[in-house]
Amino acid sequence: MKVFSVLFISLILAVNSHGGISSQTDAIDAGALIESILYIDEQQAEQIKDLVLDAEYIEGEMNDRGEFEQKVRILKKIYIKYLPDTALMYERYLKLYKEGKLQDEETTQKEARERLEKKRKRKSQDISWSLLTPFREGNRDLYDIVYVGVPDEKIEGKSCHYFRVTAIEKDPRLINGDYYFDAESLHLVRVDFSPSKLASNLMFKMKQLDMSIIFAPNPDGYWLPKQFDISGRGKAMFLIGVKFAGTEYYSNGQINSGVDDSLFEN
């Protein structure tokens, strides 16, 4: 009752100053709605100290007919530890399939090292990163945040509040995204996003990168990652065109199981 009382009060009070926030409808105070969303997120964050997930990653390419062709399938265990101002994440590769064939342990771990090193060099964000970062007080001036309203169509089966987030500057550390929050619980249901500036180097130039993360409540009511989708295209050396797509599914979320700190030492 205390939580819902706070939500009710915050929704009816006008918030005078929220840099970068605007609304396409007068039905709701967008700034107050954001404060309620952040409050709900903080309430859950206070209760989750660590998280373990089973993950299945499927990677492939889009052919000329627009069809997905599977190339790689990886089974993983993901460990996340939440600290006051950051989060630590560790991925354990369990099984690797290439073209449908199970690879041996040596090949699996070699693949893991190469993929994790690429991720480190690219400074890629992952599911441990808070997607609500653009909405927080210290970051709002970096974005134009527009409250669009409640779309007629349901998102993942739920009526949602829809925010459009656009980075003011072109920066690979910032994102552009469409955010959908469950109208009943105010938890994030889905976000479709991309970097506001695509990173490139001498070996590869990214032309397009689209990502989407879906969240859903577990049996205890905690909203956890359910699915991550990524697709993109670019050019490698010698003007070779590259198209890729992948989906990672998460299941069996274990909360506060006591993740060993030694996993994050390297």
Side-chain angles (χ1 to χ4, degrees):
M1 289 300 297
K2 180 179 179 181
V3 170
F4 286 105
S5 296
V6 171
L7 289 177
F8 179 74
I9 293 170
S10 64
L11 285 173
I12 62 174
L13 290 177
V15 178
N16 296 323
S17 176
H18 290 287
I21 299 173
S22 61
S23 177
Q24 292 184 355
T25 173
D26 295 328
I28 256 182
D29 183 334
L33 179 57
I34 287 175
E35 292 303 319
S36 297
I37 287 169
L38 293 174
Y39 176 82
I40 290 296
D41 180 69
E42 289 166 4
Q43 292 298 300
Q44 175 169 297
E46 288 179 1
Q47 298 178 61
I48 301 179
K49 305 306 178 186
D50 58 63
L51 175 64
V52 181
L53 294 164
D54 292 333
E56 178 186 23
Y57 178 65
I58 298 173
E59 183 179 88
E61 298 177 354
M62 303 302 292
N63 61 29
D64 294 336
R65 298 185 300 276
E67 300 169 338
F68 178 77
E69 295 182 352
Q70 181 176 319
K71 301 293 183 181
V72 175
R73 176 170 173 254
I74 303 172
L75 300 182
K76 300 187 286 185
K77 203 83 165 179
I78 295 178
Y79 304 83
I80 304 174
K81 184 161 187 174
Y82 298 98
L83 302 177
D85 57 352
T86 188
L88 305 176
M89 178 168 159
Y90 174 77
E91 296 178 81
R92 176 173 289 160
Y93 281 53
L94 304 177
K95 292 183 179 181
L96 168 67
Y97 297 83
K98 288 189 173 182
E99 307 293 346
K101 295 181 179 179
L102 178 63
Q103 306 297 300
D104 59 31
E105 179 67 13
E106 182 179 351
T107 303
T108 299
Q109 296 312 313
K110 181 175 182 292
E111 183 85 9
R113 289 191 296 270
E114 291 176 351
R115 286 176 175 267
L116 294 173
E117 179 61 18
K118 286 180 181 179
K119 176 183 173 182
R120 185 189 67 80
K121 287 182 177 180
R122 294 170 182 166
K123 298 181 180 179
S124 302
Q125 302 291 0
D126 51 45
I127 59 170
S128 68
W129 183 68
S130 174
L131 285 161
L132 297 188
T133 295
F135 294 89
R136 302 192 188 282
E137 188 69 42
N139 301 309
R140 291 177 192 169
D141 289 342
L142 302 175
Y143 294 91
D144 285 326
I145 300 174
V146 179
Y147 175 63
V148 181
V150 178
D152 292 334
E153 70 276 10
K154 292 189 175 181
I155 307 299
E156 306 302 325
K158 297 182 180 296
S159 295
C160 291
H161 293 291
Y162 169 29
F163 284 87
R164 184 181 300 120
V165 173
T166 306
I168 294 174
E169 296 183 3
K170 300 292 185 180
D171 189 320
R173 296 169 297 179
L174 305 179
I175 65 171
N176 299 325
D178 295 309
Y179 283 75
Y180 301 92
F181 297 91
D182 178 28
E184 182 177 348
S185 69
L186 299 187
H187 281 286
L188 182 60
V189 173
R190 193 181 83 198
V191 55
D192 305 321
F193 65 105
S194 60
S196 70
K197 180 180 180 181
L198 296 173
S200 61
N201 54 46
L202 293 176
M203 301 294 290
F204 186 78
K205 185 174 183 179
M206 187 73 71
K207 294 289 188 179
Q208 178 183 348
L209 181 61
D210 298 315
M211 294 167 281
S212 179
I213 299 182
I214 298 170
F215 297 83
N218 74 354
D220 295 322
Y222 293 103
W223 285 69
L224 304 176
K226 176 183 178 182
Q227 181 177 324
F228 173 74
D229 293 284
I230 183 170
S231 63
R233 61 184 179 86
K235 283 189 176 182
M237 286 185 67
F238 311 115
L239 304 180
I240 300 173
V242 177
K243 294 181 181 180
F244 62 91
T247 298
E248 189 158 88
Y249 302 96
Y250 308 104
S251 60
N252 193 30
Q254 301 171 50
I255 295 172
N256 299 338
S257 59
V259 174
D260 194 333
D261 290 348
S262 63
L263 291 175
F264 312 103
E265 291 178 354
N266 294 328

